[in-house]
Amino acid sequence: MAILATLALLFAALFAVCCLLLAAFIGSLLYMVLLHHRLKEAGLRREERLLSTPLPADADLPHVVVQIPSFNEGPVVRRGAESAAALDWPRDKLHIQLLDDSTDETAEMVRQVAAELRAKGFDVVALQRTDRSGYKGGALHEAMQKTPHDFFAIFDVDYIPPTDFLRVCMRPFFAEPRTAFVQARFDFLNPHENALTEMQMVTLDAHLGIEQATRCWAGHPLPFNGTCGIWQRAAIDAGGGWKGDTVTEDLDLTYRGWVKGWRALFLTSVGVPGELPADTKTWLRQQQRWQDGFRHVSMRMFPEILKSRDITPSAKLAALLHLCMALNQPVLLVGVVSGILAGLLAPALVPLLLTLLVITVAWVLICATTFLRAGHNFIRGGEIPPLEFGVVLMRFVGGQIATVVRSFSVHFRKMFSKPKPVVFDRTPKRGN
């Protein structure tokens, strides 16, 4: 009996530690909201100043390569390519690469669209590979080797940049030449299509408007969002180039460049609309890929950040706290299992365990609600009334539970199957 009692106490202690860690992880979002309010005025002034930087005359503007990766996304290929061709930039300095790894009829569509745009006088090439080595990261890496130019505007195929995107977003590079990349804010083509897309809009607005903007203003590591941004070659090379051994090549390159001293800029005032997944299955697959990639990059970069002598202690702490968010689900799993075991071994501990659980859940809900509402107010001006927003919040909670359940199921199956190589599971687009 003494052994069982000791085990119960150990499991209860482990449960308490997991609750504290989860509270700390989610509490970091509340901290970002507070930091956002403190830095917003100065951050927006700096953004306005950088975007007012005058551009050189057209004859002196640099060449820009627009890269559009695609994989079996026929419904949106034409729209994506034509929106790139419509960008306001000297035509002799605008180069478009359609990076297509498709295995269906999309491949022929890409070649046809490229030929049509070339016939209209645009420099458009279809770079098609016979295999998906490195996935999106591999395609970006190979395409870079085929051009001598220094600036790369990257758009997922479903995003439609405004025609003045380059005229606006290239300005900061002239004001601050050591800028690694300029990241524009996602906007959405179908935010109110259904309950799922509305929930995604609120969630992504909070991520972009609170997390990304505040990281930029505070000088914290600013992750590239994979699309709607412009990189310069020197920063990509400094970070070791695009790599395809993780499914979040954007976060991976961001941190590798950041460790080398390159910093980035996030623009809250420039929105680029794209398509949100409108069905639950597609959205859950997307979330799983993002979570897996975050963990891959975290495990890779932890030692690099810790051993760096060029990063200040406060900057290291900010980076490590950001990467620790990858531990959310493992900590939650350990906490759930240890709490159940502690309750089974010592029923007398159940009231204490339930109290800890209720306090943790309440804290998570407070932090999540504050974070999501702050992002919505900042980006959308609070267009969703409070009562309706409460419904969206419940959908968010349900979505998080669904992602956790799916993630546990995926990792449980992996425990009893042979290891498989990392696969980039591209989010399909409909182009409606």
Side-chain angles (χ1 to χ4, degrees):
M1 294 297 292
I3 294 177
L4 292 180
T6 301
L7 280 175
L9 289 174
L10 287 174
F11 283 126
L14 185 56
F15 175 77
V17 169
C18 290
C19 286
L20 287 173
L21 287 174
L22 289 172
F25 293 157
I26 201 70
S28 67
L29 299 180
L30 184 59
Y31 169 72
M32 293 300 286
V33 173
L34 297 174
L35 192 60
H36 178 273
H37 284 293
R38 183 164 70 86
L39 300 176
K40 180 170 67 174
E41 185 177 349
L44 293 179
R45 277 203 311 268
R46 176 178 177 245
E47 179 176 328
E48 184 178 3
R49 175 179 60 81
L50 291 174
L51 294 185
S52 65
T53 303
L55 287 173
D58 281 8
D60 298 322
L61 287 174
H63 292 260
V64 176
V65 181
V66 180
Q67 297 180 314
I68 305 178
S70 66
F71 175 69
N72 294 352
E73 295 168 293
V76 291
V77 162
R78 177 175 295 278
R79 187 181 69 189
E82 290 178 348
S83 67
L87 289 168
D88 179 15
W89 202 251
R91 187 172 293 193
D92 62 329
K93 296 186 176 181
L94 179 66
H95 315 279
I96 301 171
Q97 294 178 330
L98 304 180
L99 316 182
D100 183 53
D101 288 352
S102 297
T103 56
D104 64 2
E105 64 276 4
T106 302
E108 178 56 35
M109 294 177 64
V110 168
R111 289 191 289 271
Q112 180 180 343
V113 170
E116 290 175 6
L117 290 175
R118 280 197 302 272
K120 295 178 180 180
F122 295 99
D123 179 13
V124 182
V125 293
L127 302 178
Q128 296 178 302
R129 305 190 302 169
T130 56
D131 65 80
R132 295 182 72 197
S133 300
Y135 304 104
K136 181 179 176 181
L140 290 169
H141 174 76
E142 290 187 23
M144 267 191 64
Q145 314 313 309
K146 298 181 183 298
T147 178
H149 305 306
D150 291 328
F151 290 94
F152 298 86
I154 301 171
F155 300 100
D156 282 350
V157 69
D158 59 307
Y159 280 85
I160 306 175
T163 56
D164 65 347
F165 179 87
L166 295 179
R167 294 278 179 182
V168 173
C169 296
M170 282 295 293
R171 294 173 184 267
F173 289 107
F174 295 99
E176 298 179 355
R178 283 283 296 177
T179 300
F181 64 87
V182 171
Q183 171 72 65
R185 175 178 55 81
F186 296 171
D187 212 338
F188 313 109
L189 295 167
N190 58 332
H192 301 292
E193 180 175 345
N194 56 35
L196 177 63
T197 58
E198 190 169 68
M199 183 270 289
Q200 291 176 76
M201 174 191 71
V202 169
T203 305
L204 288 170
D205 280 348
H207 166 61
L208 298 163
I210 302 299
E211 277 193 287
Q212 290 290 78
T214 306
R215 290 186 190 284
C216 175
W217 300 339
H220 295 176
L222 175 67
F224 180 53
N225 288 122
T227 181
C228 308
I230 306 173
W231 277 83
Q232 63 168 310
R233 182 187 290 270
I236 297 174
D237 290 341
W242 294 105
K243 295 183 179 180
D245 53 355
T246 172
V247 292
T248 47
E249 73 297 320
D250 44 9
L251 181 66
D252 182 41
L253 180 59
T254 295
Y255 266 99
R256 286 189 278 113
W258 182 76
V259 168
K260 299 293 185 181
W262 287 84
R263 301 295 180 261
L265 175 68
F266 182 82
L267 299 176
T268 63
S269 60
V270 181
V272 181
E275 182 181 323
L276 291 166
D279 66 276
T280 303
K281 183 178 179 181
T282 299
W283 177 72
L284 286 172
R285 286 166 51 197
Q286 180 195 67
Q287 297 302 300
Q288 185 68 49
R289 173 166 60 84
W290 288 354
Q291 291 160 9
D292 290 345
F294 204 100
R295 281 191 289 273
H296 296 160
V297 175
S298 298
M299 295 304 102
R300 168 182 289 174
M301 293 309 303
F302 267 132
E304 293 291 328
I305 293 170
L306 288 172
K307 71 182 183 182
S308 174
R309 297 180 179 180
D310 300 322
I311 303 174
T312 64
S314 61
K316 283 186 180 183
L317 179 61
L320 294 175
L321 285 175
H322 176 236
L323 293 175
C324 276
M325 293 296 285
L327 301 177
N328 265 341
Q329 290 192 356
V331 169
L332 178 60
L333 176 60
V334 172
V336 169
V337 172
S338 59
I340 292 173
L341 291 175
L344 291 174
L345 292 172
L349 292 174
V350 169
L352 175 60
L353 297 172
L354 287 177
T355 300
L356 282 173
L357 177 63
V358 169
I359 292 173
T360 303
V361 170
W363 173 249
V364 167
L365 288 176
I366 290 171
C367 292
T369 302
T370 304
F371 174 66
L372 294 174
R373 189 65 193 184
H376 179 68
N377 289 344
F378 179 59
I379 300 297
R380 308 287 165 189
E383 67 180 32
I384 300 178
L387 287 179
E388 291 182 26
F389 194 84
V391 176
V392 176
L393 178 64
M394 291 302 101
R395 294 172 188 154
F396 169 77
V397 172
Q400 295 308 299
I401 293 172
T403 60
V404 168
V405 171
R406 187 183 191 281
S407 181
F408 287 174
S409 173
V410 168
H411 291 297
F412 183 79
R413 290 197 301 269
K414 286 181 179 179
M415 292 171 58
F416 300 97
S417 61
K418 293 181 180 180
K420 296 180 180 179
V422 174
V423 175
F424 188 103
D425 187 13
R426 189 98 171 132
T427 304
K429 309 298 189 305
R430 299 170 305 156
N432 290 351

